Amino acid sequence: MELTGAEILIRCLEDEGVEYLFGYPGGAVLHIYDAIYKQDKVEHILVRHEQAATHAADGYARSSGKPGVVLVTSGPGATNAITGIATAYMDSIPMVVFTGQVPTSLIGNDAFQEVDSVGITRPCVKHNFLVKDVKDIAETIKKAFYVATTGRPGPVVVDIPKDITAEKCEYHYPKRISMRSYNPVVKGNKRQIIKAVDLMLSAKRPMVYSGGGVILDRAAKPLTDMTRKLGFPITNTLMGLGAYPATDKQFLGMLGMHGTYEANMAMHNCDVLIAIGARFDDRVTGNIEKFCPTAKIIHIDIDPASIAKNVMVDVPIVGGVSNVLKEMMALIAESKQKPDQKAMAEWWAQIEEWRGVDCLKYETETDVIKPQYVVESLYKVTKGDAFVTSDVGQHQMWAAQFYKFDKPYRWINSGGLGTMGFGLPAAMGAQFANPKATVACVTGEGSIQMNIQELSTCMQYGLPIKIICLNNRALGMVRQWQEFFYQGRYAMSYMEALPDFVKLAESYGHVGMNIEKPEDVVPAMEEAMGKYKNRLVFMNFITDQTENVYPMIPAGAGLNEMILV
Amino acid sequence: MRHIISILMENEAGALSRVAGLFSARGYNIESLTVAATEDPSLSRMTLVTRGSDQIIEQITKQLNKLIDVVKLIDLTEGPHIEREMMLVKVKAAAATDARNEINRLAEIFRGNIIDVTSNSYTIELTGTGDKLDAFIRAVGHEEILETVRSGVSGISRGDKSLSL
C-alpha cells in the first residue's frame, strides 16, 4: 500500500521505537500533523516554544540514553529550535530534529516562512539532510537515527519540504544501514591499550579524569570497577558527574573552574593522567600552558578530533570508552604488576591534606538562606536519587558541587553551550522518560524566565516537576565576575520588576511557595515532595544575594592557582 | 607549512559548503580549493591547499574526516606527489609589434598554448606548479596583463598509491 510522505515519517518513528515526539505545528508540517492525528503509537508533546521542544527532547535523551526526537515547522520554527540543537551538539546528545520546509517549487524564492534550514543548522549539527524525493524519506530517517546515535553522538536535522510529505510511495523501513563515508571506530587499538595499562600500573601519582563520554557510552560500571580495583583518585567533569559515585572515598569531586581544591591540585600534581571520554575543555584546563606539568597523559575518546586538540597526549586511544575500559580491566587482571602501594599511600596522604582544606565550606549560621544549603537540602530530602536538571549560572555550579550524584543520567545540564532556559524543558523530557521519578529543576530567577512559558506544557501533561529557584535577585554569575574583575560595576546584572513567582505558578495551575528563612527550607521541600508529590511545585527560595561560587580559577590561571573563600 | 589535502567525498549538494564552513568556523585558512565529480559520478574529488603547524594540520584532517560526507582523504604533502594548476591569462599583444613576438617566445619557454588571438591581445593557457605560473606572470610583467584566471591546485600522489574506494 502506498503511504504519503507524512505517514511514512510517522511509521518510521514507530519502527524506530520512538515514544515521544516533542514539537509545535505550523504550515509546512500540517500534513505530518494530520498523520500524527490518525495514529496512536507515537505520542506528540506540544510545547509552547520550539526551543523548549529541543531541550525537552535533549532532557529525554540524557535521562534515558535514547535519542530525543523533535518536529518543528519551517522558518521561525526551525530558527527557534537552533539554540536547542546547538546545546545538544556541544554536549554530544543524540537527537533527530525534523524541520518542515516550504514546497520544493518555492525553495530559494524567499517564500513565506522559508529559511535555509540545512544551511543555518550546518555548524551545529553532526549532520543534516534535505529530502527531495518521497522515496528517500525512510532511508534518510534511518540514516539520521544511525548517525545521531553512533560514534560520538549528536543532533541530526532532517529538512522535509511540504510537497514531499503529500506525495506517495510504498513504505519500506530498512532494518540496517551502512554508509561508506561513516564508520566510527569503537574498538581501541590493542597496542595502545597495553601501553596505557603499563603506564597506569607504574604510576606513582595517578589521576583519573572522566567526562560526559563515559555517560554517553554507558560506561559508568567499567569506569567504577577499574578505578576501585586500582585504588586511584578520580574526578568527573561537569558533564561526567554520576559516572563514578560521588559519595565514594576515591571521588575528589568535580574539577575545573569551580571544581574542588583536591581535584584540581591532584590534576596539577599527578604523574599519570587517565582522561576518559573528556575533551580538555577550557573550563577544565584553565591556562593550557600550566596544565598538568608533570603528567604523562592517556586519552581515551571515540572522536579522534578530540585527541590532541587542546592538549598533547602521550598515549592516545581512539575507541568507545566502554570497550576500551573492559579491555583494560582484562589486562589489569592478567598483569603481575600491581600499583606501587607505598607511592599510592603517600599520594593519598597528600590528597587527604588537600581535601582537609574543605574548599566547599560556607557560612551556615545565618538568617538568610544560603544557596548551597538549598541544594544540600534537596540532596537530603530526595535521598540523592532525583533527576536534577539545571539552568546556567551560579545555581548550576552549586548544584554540581553539592548534589552528590551516585548514578549516571541523573545530572542534566547544558555544559558546553551554557544555555540559560535549558532547565525547565529538559526537566519535562526527563519526567517523560522517568514518569515515576522525582525530577527537580535547579534554576535561578534569571534562567527560569527564559522558558517560563513551559509551565503551561507541564500543566497540560501533568508533569510534577519540582522547580528549585535560587532567587538572589541578580544574574549571579555575571554579578560575581563584575564583583571580582570589574570593581563592582554591576552593569545590567540586576533585574527590576521580577514577577511574583507564586502567583505566576498558580496562574498556570501549579503550586507556588515562597521560602525566606533557612529553617523553612527542608519542611517546604518535604511538603513539595510529600503532600504535593503529584503537582508541579515552584519553590522560590529567597537566597543570599552576595554569595559567590568558590573555589574559582580566574581566567589565565593554572589549576593550582585557585581562589578559595 | 603548506599542505595539499586530497579529499574523496559524496557528490551531494552541500558537501562543498560543509568543507568551506568547517574552515571558516574553525579559523583555518584555505589557499585554494578545487572540486569536481570523479569517474564515479557519486563521488567528488576535492584538492585543498592550506597552511598551518603540524598540530593544526592534524586537526584539519581529523575534522574533515569527521564530516559525514567525507569518504577518504590524504595529505599529499606527506609523500611524493605531483601538483598542477592551470592558468588562463589574457595579455596585451598588439598585432605586428615586438610585444607579440616576445609573448610568443615566453609562451614557448613556459610550454603554454596560445588559445585565442585578437588584434590587441593573446590568451594563453599554462599548466604547472603555482611557482611556475607565478614566474610566468613576473616574466610577462603586470603591466602587460589584462586578466588572469587560475584553477587552483589539483594533486595526485606519485607511484601506484591511489585515493579511491
Side-chain angles (χ1 to χ4, degrees), chain A residues 94-152:
Chain A
M95 186 188 285
V96 176
V97 180
F98 295 96
T99 54
Q101 185 53 276
V102 300
T104 319
S105 59
L106 290 179
I107 289 180
N109 277 17
D110 302 322
F112 176 65
Q113 291 196 327
E114 180 185 1
V115 74
D116 173 12
S117 299
V118 165
I120 214 166
T121 57
R122 191 187 306 117
C124 59
V125 292
K126 183 168 173 187
H127 197 55
N128 57 20
F129 299 92
L130 170 64
V131 183
K132 289 193 215 139
D133 189 325
V134 67
K135 293 191 209 73
D136 295 338
I137 290 184
E139 190 180 309
T140 305
I141 292 176
K142 185 74 197 173
K143 280 185 185 170
F145 278 94
Y146 174 58
V147 170
T149 54
T150 52
R152 179 178 179 175

Short mmCIF file of all heavy atoms in Angstrom, two decimals, chain A residues 94-152:
data_model
loop_
_atom_site.label_atom_id
_atom_site.label_comp_id
_atom_site.label_asym_id
_atom_site.label_seq_id
_atom_site.Cartn_x
_atom_site.Cartn_y
_atom_site.Cartn_z
N PRO A 94 22.37 12.59 21.45
CA PRO A 94 21.69 12.06 20.25
C PRO A 94 20.29 12.65 20.10
O PRO A 94 19.49 12.60 21.02
CB PRO A 94 21.62 10.55 20.53
CG PRO A 94 21.66 10.42 22.02
CD PRO A 94 22.51 11.57 22.51
N MET A 95 20.04 13.24 18.95
CA MET A 95 18.75 13.89 18.74
C MET A 95 18.46 13.92 17.24
O MET A 95 19.38 14.09 16.43
CB MET A 95 18.84 15.33 19.27
CG MET A 95 17.54 16.09 19.25
SD MET A 95 17.80 17.84 19.68
CE MET A 95 18.05 17.72 21.41
N VAL A 96 17.21 13.72 16.86
CA VAL A 96 16.82 13.85 15.46
C VAL A 96 15.75 14.94 15.39
O VAL A 96 14.73 14.85 16.10
CB VAL A 96 16.30 12.52 14.88
CG1 VAL A 96 15.81 12.73 13.44
CG2 VAL A 96 17.41 11.46 14.91
N VAL A 97 16.01 15.96 14.60
CA VAL A 97 15.10 17.10 14.52
C VAL A 97 14.54 17.17 13.10
O VAL A 97 15.29 17.28 12.13
CB VAL A 97 15.83 18.42 14.84
CG1 VAL A 97 14.87 19.60 14.76
CG2 VAL A 97 16.48 18.35 16.22
N PHE A 98 13.21 17.08 13.01
CA PHE A 98 12.56 17.24 11.71
C PHE A 98 12.09 18.68 11.57
O PHE A 98 11.38 19.19 12.43
CB PHE A 98 11.35 16.29 11.59
CG PHE A 98 11.76 14.84 11.62
CD1 PHE A 98 11.73 14.12 12.81
CD2 PHE A 98 12.19 14.21 10.47
CE1 PHE A 98 12.13 12.79 12.84
CE2 PHE A 98 12.60 12.88 10.49
CZ PHE A 98 12.56 12.17 11.68
N THR A 99 12.53 19.33 10.49
CA THR A 99 12.06 20.68 10.24
C THR A 99 11.24 20.66 8.97
O THR A 99 11.64 20.05 7.97
CB THR A 99 13.24 21.67 10.07
OG1 THR A 99 14.13 21.17 9.05
CG2 THR A 99 14.03 21.81 11.36
N GLY A 100 10.09 21.30 9.01
CA GLY A 100 9.29 21.44 7.80
C GLY A 100 10.00 22.41 6.87
O GLY A 100 10.83 23.21 7.31
N GLN A 101 9.71 22.31 5.60
CA GLN A 101 10.30 23.24 4.65
C GLN A 101 9.20 23.64 3.67
O GLN A 101 8.22 22.92 3.48
CB GLN A 101 11.49 22.58 3.93
CG GLN A 101 12.28 23.47 2.99
CD GLN A 101 12.74 24.77 3.64
OE1 GLN A 101 12.00 25.75 3.69
NE2 GLN A 101 13.97 24.78 4.14
N VAL A 102 9.36 24.80 3.05
CA VAL A 102 8.37 25.24 2.05
C VAL A 102 8.40 24.25 0.88
O VAL A 102 9.38 23.51 0.71
CB VAL A 102 8.67 26.67 1.56
CG1 VAL A 102 8.62 27.65 2.73
CG2 VAL A 102 10.03 26.76 0.86
N PRO A 103 7.35 24.19 0.07
CA PRO A 103 7.33 23.22 -1.03
C PRO A 103 8.55 23.38 -1.94
O PRO A 103 9.05 24.49 -2.12
CB PRO A 103 6.05 23.56 -1.78
CG PRO A 103 5.19 24.25 -0.78
CD PRO A 103 6.12 24.99 0.13
N THR A 104 9.00 22.27 -2.50
CA THR A 104 10.20 22.24 -3.35
C THR A 104 10.21 23.36 -4.39
O THR A 104 11.23 23.99 -4.61
CB THR A 104 10.28 20.88 -4.08
OG1 THR A 104 9.91 19.87 -3.16
CG2 THR A 104 11.68 20.61 -4.57
N SER A 105 9.04 23.60 -4.98
CA SER A 105 8.97 24.59 -6.07
C SER A 105 9.25 26.01 -5.56
O SER A 105 9.60 26.89 -6.33
CB SER A 105 7.59 24.55 -6.72
OG SER A 105 6.61 24.82 -5.73
N LEU A 106 9.09 26.22 -4.26
CA LEU A 106 9.27 27.57 -3.71
C LEU A 106 10.64 27.78 -3.06
O LEU A 106 11.00 28.90 -2.68
CB LEU A 106 8.18 27.88 -2.68
CG LEU A 106 6.76 28.08 -3.23
CD1 LEU A 106 5.79 28.36 -2.09
CD2 LEU A 106 6.73 29.22 -4.24
N ILE A 107 11.41 26.68 -2.89
CA ILE A 107 12.71 26.81 -2.21
C ILE A 107 13.60 27.80 -2.95
O ILE A 107 13.75 27.72 -4.16
CB ILE A 107 13.41 25.43 -2.08
CG1 ILE A 107 12.68 24.58 -1.05
CG2 ILE A 107 14.88 25.60 -1.67
CD1 ILE A 107 13.28 23.20 -0.82
N GLY A 108 14.14 28.74 -2.21
CA GLY A 108 15.02 29.75 -2.81
C GLY A 108 14.28 30.98 -3.29
O GLY A 108 14.90 31.91 -3.80
N ASN A 109 12.96 31.00 -3.10
CA ASN A 109 12.16 32.13 -3.58
C ASN A 109 11.81 33.13 -2.50
O ASN A 109 10.96 33.97 -2.70
CB ASN A 109 10.83 31.60 -4.15
CG ASN A 109 10.98 31.15 -5.58
OD1 ASN A 109 12.10 30.91 -6.02
ND2 ASN A 109 9.88 31.02 -6.29
N ASP A 110 12.45 33.03 -1.34
CA ASP A 110 12.07 33.86 -0.20
C ASP A 110 10.58 33.68 0.10
O ASP A 110 9.85 34.65 0.31
CB ASP A 110 12.38 35.34 -0.45
CG ASP A 110 13.85 35.56 -0.73
OD1 ASP A 110 14.67 34.87 -0.09
OD2 ASP A 110 14.18 36.40 -1.59
N ALA A 111 10.13 32.45 0.09
CA ALA A 111 8.73 32.16 0.33
C ALA A 111 8.37 32.43 1.78
O ALA A 111 9.25 32.57 2.64
CB ALA A 111 8.46 30.69 -0.01
N PHE A 112 7.06 32.49 2.07
CA PHE A 112 6.60 32.71 3.44
C PHE A 112 7.13 31.61 4.35
O PHE A 112 7.04 30.43 4.03
CB PHE A 112 5.06 32.73 3.46
CG PHE A 112 4.51 32.85 4.86
CD1 PHE A 112 4.74 34.00 5.61
CD2 PHE A 112 3.79 31.81 5.44
CE1 PHE A 112 4.25 34.10 6.91
CE2 PHE A 112 3.30 31.92 6.73
CZ PHE A 112 3.53 33.06 7.47
N GLN A 113 7.69 32.01 5.47
CA GLN A 113 8.28 31.10 6.46
C GLN A 113 9.37 30.21 5.86
O GLN A 113 9.53 29.05 6.25
CB GLN A 113 7.20 30.26 7.16
CG GLN A 113 6.32 31.11 8.07
CD GLN A 113 5.51 30.32 9.06
OE1 GLN A 113 5.08 29.20 8.79
NE2 GLN A 113 5.28 30.90 10.23
N GLU A 114 10.13 30.77 4.91
CA GLU A 114 11.24 30.00 4.37
C GLU A 114 12.54 30.42 5.04
O GLU A 114 12.81 31.61 5.22
CB GLU A 114 11.39 30.21 2.85
CG GLU A 114 12.57 29.39 2.31
CD GLU A 114 12.89 29.62 0.84
OE1 GLU A 114 12.22 30.43 0.20
OE2 GLU A 114 13.83 28.98 0.36
N VAL A 115 13.34 29.45 5.42
CA VAL A 115 14.71 29.72 5.82
C VAL A 115 15.53 28.52 5.36
O VAL A 115 15.00 27.42 5.24
CB VAL A 115 14.80 29.96 7.35
CG1 VAL A 115 14.64 28.68 8.13
CG2 VAL A 115 16.11 30.63 7.73
N ASP A 116 16.80 28.77 5.04
CA ASP A 116 17.68 27.68 4.61
C ASP A 116 18.06 26.87 5.84
O ASP A 116 19.11 27.08 6.44
CB ASP A 116 18.90 28.29 3.91
CG ASP A 116 19.97 27.24 3.57
OD1 ASP A 116 19.68 26.03 3.67
OD2 ASP A 116 21.08 27.65 3.21
N SER A 117 17.22 25.94 6.23
CA SER A 117 17.42 25.21 7.50
C SER A 117 18.69 24.37 7.47
O SER A 117 19.39 24.27 8.48
CB SER A 117 16.22 24.30 7.78
OG SER A 117 15.07 25.08 7.91
N VAL A 118 18.96 23.77 6.33
CA VAL A 118 20.17 22.96 6.23
C VAL A 118 21.41 23.85 6.38
O VAL A 118 22.35 23.52 7.09
CB VAL A 118 20.18 22.17 4.90
CG1 VAL A 118 21.56 21.62 4.59
CG2 VAL A 118 19.17 21.03 4.96
N GLY A 119 21.36 25.03 5.76
CA GLY A 119 22.48 25.95 5.85
C GLY A 119 22.65 26.54 7.24
O GLY A 119 23.75 26.63 7.76
N ILE A 120 21.52 26.90 7.84
CA ILE A 120 21.58 27.61 9.12
C ILE A 120 21.94 26.66 10.27
O ILE A 120 22.51 27.07 11.28
CB ILE A 120 20.23 28.35 9.37
CG1 ILE A 120 20.45 29.65 10.11
CG2 ILE A 120 19.23 27.50 10.06
CD1 ILE A 120 19.24 30.55 10.07
N THR A 121 21.64 25.38 10.11
CA THR A 121 21.96 24.44 11.19
C THR A 121 23.31 23.75 10.97
O THR A 121 23.81 23.09 11.88
CB THR A 121 20.90 23.32 11.33
OG1 THR A 121 20.78 22.62 10.08
CG2 THR A 121 19.55 23.87 11.72
N ARG A 122 23.90 23.91 9.81
CA ARG A 122 25.10 23.14 9.47
C ARG A 122 26.20 23.19 10.53
O ARG A 122 26.76 22.16 10.89
CB ARG A 122 25.64 23.55 8.10
CG ARG A 122 26.70 22.58 7.59
CD ARG A 122 27.37 23.05 6.31
NE ARG A 122 26.39 23.35 5.28
CZ ARG A 122 26.20 24.54 4.74
NH1 ARG A 122 26.92 25.57 5.14
NH2 ARG A 122 25.31 24.72 3.82
N PRO A 123 26.54 24.38 11.04
CA PRO A 123 27.65 24.40 12.01
C PRO A 123 27.30 23.81 13.37
O PRO A 123 28.19 23.65 14.20
CB PRO A 123 27.95 25.90 12.17
CG PRO A 123 27.10 26.61 11.19
CD PRO A 123 26.02 25.71 10.76
N CYS A 124 26.04 23.50 13.64
CA CYS A 124 25.72 22.99 14.98
C CYS A 124 24.99 21.65 14.93
O CYS A 124 24.22 21.32 15.83
CB CYS A 124 24.96 24.02 15.79
SG CYS A 124 23.41 24.55 15.07
N VAL A 125 25.21 20.88 13.85
CA VAL A 125 24.66 19.52 13.81
C VAL A 125 25.79 18.55 13.49
O VAL A 125 26.82 18.93 12.93
CB VAL A 125 23.57 19.34 12.73
CG1 VAL A 125 22.33 20.13 13.10
CG2 VAL A 125 24.08 19.70 11.35
N LYS A 126 25.56 17.29 13.85
CA LYS A 126 26.52 16.27 13.43
C LYS A 126 26.39 16.07 11.92
O LYS A 126 27.36 15.89 11.22
CB LYS A 126 26.25 14.98 14.20
CG LYS A 126 27.24 13.88 13.88
CD LYS A 126 27.14 12.73 14.85
CE LYS A 126 28.03 11.58 14.38
NZ LYS A 126 27.85 10.39 15.20
N HIS A 127 25.13 16.09 11.46
CA HIS A 127 24.89 16.02 10.02
C HIS A 127 23.47 16.50 9.75
O HIS A 127 22.65 16.53 10.67
CB HIS A 127 25.04 14.57 9.53
CG HIS A 127 25.21 14.48 8.04
ND1 HIS A 127 26.17 15.14 7.35
CD2 HIS A 127 24.50 13.80 7.10
CE1 HIS A 127 26.07 14.88 6.05
NE2 HIS A 127 25.06 14.06 5.88
N ASN A 128 23.19 16.88 8.52
CA ASN A 128 21.81 17.21 8.19
C ASN A 128 21.48 16.80 6.76
O ASN A 128 22.36 16.53 5.95
CB ASN A 128 21.48 18.68 8.46
CG ASN A 128 22.39 19.65 7.73
OD1 ASN A 128 23.04 19.30 6.75
ND2 ASN A 128 22.46 20.87 8.22
N PHE A 129 20.17 16.70 6.53
CA PHE A 129 19.69 16.20 5.23
C PHE A 129 18.55 17.09 4.74
O PHE A 129 17.75 17.57 5.55
CB PHE A 129 19.09 14.79 5.36
CG PHE A 129 20.04 13.73 5.84
CD1 PHE A 129 20.15 13.44 7.20
CD2 PHE A 129 20.81 13.01 4.94
CE1 PHE A 129 21.01 12.43 7.63
CE2 PHE A 129 21.66 12.00 5.37
CZ PHE A 129 21.76 11.71 6.72
N LEU A 130 18.46 17.26 3.44
CA LEU A 130 17.26 17.83 2.83
C LEU A 130 16.67 16.71 1.97
O LEU A 130 17.35 16.17 1.10
CB LEU A 130 17.63 19.04 1.95
CG LEU A 130 16.52 19.60 1.06
CD1 LEU A 130 15.36 20.14 1.90
CD2 LEU A 130 17.05 20.71 0.15
N VAL A 131 15.43 16.34 2.25
CA VAL A 131 14.80 15.25 1.49
C VAL A 131 14.13 15.84 0.26
O VAL A 131 13.30 16.74 0.38
CB VAL A 131 13.75 14.51 2.36
CG1 VAL A 131 13.16 13.35 1.58
CG2 VAL A 131 14.38 14.03 3.65
N LYS A 132 14.50 15.33 -0.91
CA LYS A 132 13.95 15.91 -2.13
C LYS A 132 13.02 14.97 -2.88
O LYS A 132 12.48 15.32 -3.93
CB LYS A 132 15.09 16.32 -3.07
CG LYS A 132 15.84 17.54 -2.55
CD LYS A 132 16.74 18.09 -3.64
CE LYS A 132 18.02 18.64 -3.07
NZ LYS A 132 19.19 18.31 -3.85
N ASP A 133 12.86 13.76 -2.36
CA ASP A 133 12.01 12.79 -3.03
C ASP A 133 11.33 11.94 -1.96
O ASP A 133 12.00 11.50 -1.02
CB ASP A 133 12.89 11.90 -3.93
CG ASP A 133 12.07 10.99 -4.84
OD1 ASP A 133 10.99 10.54 -4.40
OD2 ASP A 133 12.51 10.74 -5.97
N VAL A 134 10.04 11.72 -2.12
CA VAL A 134 9.30 10.94 -1.10
C VAL A 134 9.94 9.56 -0.92
O VAL A 134 9.93 9.00 0.18
CB VAL A 134 7.80 10.86 -1.47
CG1 VAL A 134 7.59 10.04 -2.74
CG2 VAL A 134 7.00 10.28 -0.31
N LYS A 135 10.54 9.03 -2.00
CA LYS A 135 11.12 7.68 -1.91
C LYS A 135 12.35 7.66 -1.01
O LYS A 135 12.80 6.60 -0.59
CB LYS A 135 11.50 7.19 -3.31
CG LYS A 135 10.31 6.93 -4.21
CD LYS A 135 10.76 6.18 -5.46
CE LYS A 135 9.88 6.49 -6.65
NZ LYS A 135 10.09 7.86 -7.21
N ASP A 136 12.91 8.82 -0.74
CA ASP A 136 14.12 8.88 0.11
C ASP A 136 13.82 9.04 1.60
O ASP A 136 14.73 8.99 2.42
CB ASP A 136 15.01 10.05 -0.33
CG ASP A 136 15.55 9.87 -1.73
OD1 ASP A 136 15.60 8.71 -2.20
OD2 ASP A 136 15.90 10.88 -2.37
N ILE A 137 12.55 9.30 1.95
CA ILE A 137 12.26 9.65 3.35
C ILE A 137 12.71 8.54 4.32
O ILE A 137 13.44 8.80 5.27
CB ILE A 137 10.75 9.96 3.55
CG1 ILE A 137 10.41 11.27 2.86
CG2 ILE A 137 10.42 10.06 5.04
CD1 ILE A 137 8.98 11.72 3.07
N ALA A 138 12.27 7.31 4.04
CA ALA A 138 12.54 6.23 5.01
C ALA A 138 14.04 6.01 5.19
O ALA A 138 14.53 5.94 6.33
CB ALA A 138 11.86 4.94 4.55
N GLU A 139 14.76 5.94 4.08
CA GLU A 139 16.19 5.68 4.20
C GLU A 139 16.91 6.85 4.89
O GLU A 139 17.82 6.64 5.71
CB GLU A 139 16.81 5.44 2.82
CG GLU A 139 18.23 4.93 2.94
CD GLU A 139 18.90 4.68 1.59
OE1 GLU A 139 18.29 3.98 0.77
OE2 GLU A 139 20.00 5.20 1.39
N THR A 140 16.48 8.06 4.58
CA THR A 140 17.11 9.23 5.22
C THR A 140 16.87 9.21 6.73
O THR A 140 17.78 9.51 7.52
CB THR A 140 16.54 10.53 4.62
OG1 THR A 140 16.73 10.49 3.21
CG2 THR A 140 17.24 11.74 5.19
N ILE A 141 15.66 8.83 7.14
CA ILE A 141 15.37 8.81 8.58
C ILE A 141 16.20 7.72 9.26
O ILE A 141 16.75 7.92 10.34
CB ILE A 141 13.85 8.62 8.82
CG1 ILE A 141 13.12 9.88 8.35
CG2 ILE A 141 13.56 8.33 10.29
CD1 ILE A 141 11.61 9.81 8.44
N LYS A 142 16.34 6.59 8.59
CA LYS A 142 17.18 5.52 9.15
C LYS A 142 18.61 6.02 9.34
O LYS A 142 19.23 5.82 10.39
CB LYS A 142 17.16 4.30 8.23
CG LYS A 142 17.90 3.09 8.76
CD LYS A 142 17.13 2.42 9.87
CE LYS A 142 17.98 1.48 10.70
NZ LYS A 142 17.26 0.97 11.86
N LYS A 143 19.11 6.71 8.31
CA LYS A 143 20.46 7.27 8.39
C LYS A 143 20.55 8.28 9.53
O LYS A 143 21.54 8.33 10.26
CB LYS A 143 20.84 7.97 7.08
CG LYS A 143 21.29 7.05 5.98
CD LYS A 143 21.75 7.89 4.78
CE LYS A 143 22.12 7.00 3.60
NZ LYS A 143 22.31 7.77 2.36
N ALA A 144 19.52 9.12 9.65
CA ALA A 144 19.54 10.17 10.67
C ALA A 144 19.67 9.56 12.07
O ALA A 144 20.49 10.01 12.88
CB ALA A 144 18.27 11.02 10.59
N PHE A 145 18.90 8.52 12.35
CA PHE A 145 18.99 7.88 13.67
C PHE A 145 20.34 7.18 13.86
O PHE A 145 20.92 7.20 14.94
CB PHE A 145 17.82 6.90 13.88
CG PHE A 145 16.56 7.59 14.34
CD1 PHE A 145 15.61 7.99 13.43
CD2 PHE A 145 16.36 7.85 15.68
CE1 PHE A 145 14.46 8.64 13.84
CE2 PHE A 145 15.21 8.50 16.11
CZ PHE A 145 14.25 8.91 15.19
N TYR A 146 20.80 6.57 12.78
CA TYR A 146 22.09 5.87 12.84
C TYR A 146 23.23 6.84 13.15
O TYR A 146 24.03 6.62 14.07
CB TYR A 146 22.31 5.16 11.50
CG TYR A 146 23.66 4.50 11.34
CD1 TYR A 146 24.09 3.51 12.24
CD2 TYR A 146 24.51 4.84 10.29
CE1 TYR A 146 25.33 2.91 12.08
CE2 TYR A 146 25.74 4.24 10.12
CZ TYR A 146 26.14 3.27 11.02
OH TYR A 146 27.37 2.68 10.88
N VAL A 147 23.25 7.95 12.43
CA VAL A 147 24.32 8.93 12.64
C VAL A 147 24.20 9.58 14.02
O VAL A 147 25.19 9.77 14.73
CB VAL A 147 24.32 10.00 11.52
CG1 VAL A 147 25.27 11.14 11.85
CG2 VAL A 147 24.70 9.37 10.18
N ALA A 148 22.97 9.90 14.42
CA ALA A 148 22.77 10.60 15.70
C ALA A 148 23.21 9.77 16.90
O ALA A 148 23.70 10.31 17.89
CB ALA A 148 21.30 11.00 15.85
N THR A 149 23.03 8.44 16.79
CA THR A 149 23.21 7.61 17.99
C THR A 149 24.52 6.85 18.04
O THR A 149 24.84 6.25 19.06
CB THR A 149 22.07 6.57 18.10
OG1 THR A 149 22.01 5.84 16.88
CG2 THR A 149 20.73 7.25 18.35
N THR A 150 25.29 6.84 16.96
CA THR A 150 26.52 6.04 16.96
C THR A 150 27.75 6.95 17.00
O THR A 150 27.63 8.16 16.80
CB THR A 150 26.59 5.17 15.69
OG1 THR A 150 26.39 6.01 14.55
CG2 THR A 150 25.55 4.08 15.69
N GLY A 151 28.90 6.36 17.21
CA GLY A 151 30.14 7.14 17.29
C GLY A 151 30.02 8.16 18.41
O GLY A 151 29.51 7.86 19.47
N ARG A 152 30.52 9.36 18.15
CA ARG A 152 30.25 10.45 19.10
C ARG A 152 28.87 10.97 18.75
O ARG A 152 28.67 11.53 17.67
CB ARG A 152 31.30 11.56 18.94
CG ARG A 152 31.06 12.73 19.87
CD ARG A 152 32.16 13.76 19.71
NE ARG A 152 31.91 14.89 20.59
CZ ARG A 152 32.75 15.89 20.74
NH1 ARG A 152 33.89 15.90 20.09
NH2 ARG A 152 32.48 16.88 21.54
#
